[in-house]
Amino acid sequence: QVQLVESGGGLVQPGGSLRLSCAASGFTSNGHGIGWFRQAPGKEREGVSCISSLKGSTYYADFVKGRFTISRDNAKNTVYLQMNSLKPEDTGVYYCATHNGRICNLGSALYDYWGQGTQVTVSS
């Protein structure tokens, strides 16, 4: 069965950095598109970044461009989200998600499998 487990969240000060991990099991993640999403209390889930498995194309929401980087480690079957220059508005639960295809986009409807999430809090 497909399983995704996020880790790496925590409490950081504004301007700090975190690296989130999405560990896959039950499938080889380099054959699937994978997205990162986040949700703050009282707000809808929003797409942050994604990486396809067709040519490894990456996409970013405007509010994280230049600050976040998505990448793969195929040997570890893991996708990462490096987050730099964090802002208080980046606070939320971060989820990774995948589906049976190779493309990706930042819309949650594409994805069938979701992790449990990891909390990111940016505060001074």
Side-chain angles (χ1 to χ4, degrees):
Q1 59 181 337
V2 174
Q3 289 191 325
L4 301 170
V5 179
E6 303 95 335
S7 62
L11 174 64
V12 297
Q13 294 185 345
S17 297
L18 285 172
R19 188 176 73 162
L20 306 184
S21 299
C22 175
S25 62
F27 71 107
T28 301
S29 62
N30 65 5
H32 301 258
I34 293 181
W36 282 99
F37 296 79
R38 70 187 187 190
Q39 187 168 26
K43 297 185 66 177
E44 294 186 349
R45 186 173 297 178
E46 60 185 356
V48 175
S49 181
C50 73
I51 184 166
S52 78
S53 65
L54 190 59
K55 296 189 67 175
S57 301
T58 59
Y59 302 91
Y60 299 92
D62 288 341
F63 51 82
V64 303
K65 284 182 179 177
R67 300 189 296 124
F68 290 11
T69 304
I70 191 169
S71 62
R72 294 181 184 269
D73 185 333
N74 291 330
K76 298 179 68 174
N77 206 24
T78 298
V79 173
Y80 301 98
L81 184 68
Q82 178 68 47
M83 306 187 296
N84 299 325
S85 302
L86 284 162
K87 306 174 181 179
E89 51 263 45
D90 295 318
T91 294
V93 179
Y94 282 69
Y95 302 88
C96 63
T98 192
H99 68 117
N100 290 328
R102 302 182 68 182
I103 66 167
C104 85
N105 61 40
L106 299 181
S108 61
L110 178 65
Y111 301 94
D112 302 306
Y113 310 103
W114 295 80
Q116 296 299 305
T118 185
Q119 177 71 45
V120 172
T121 303
V122 185
S123 177
S124 60

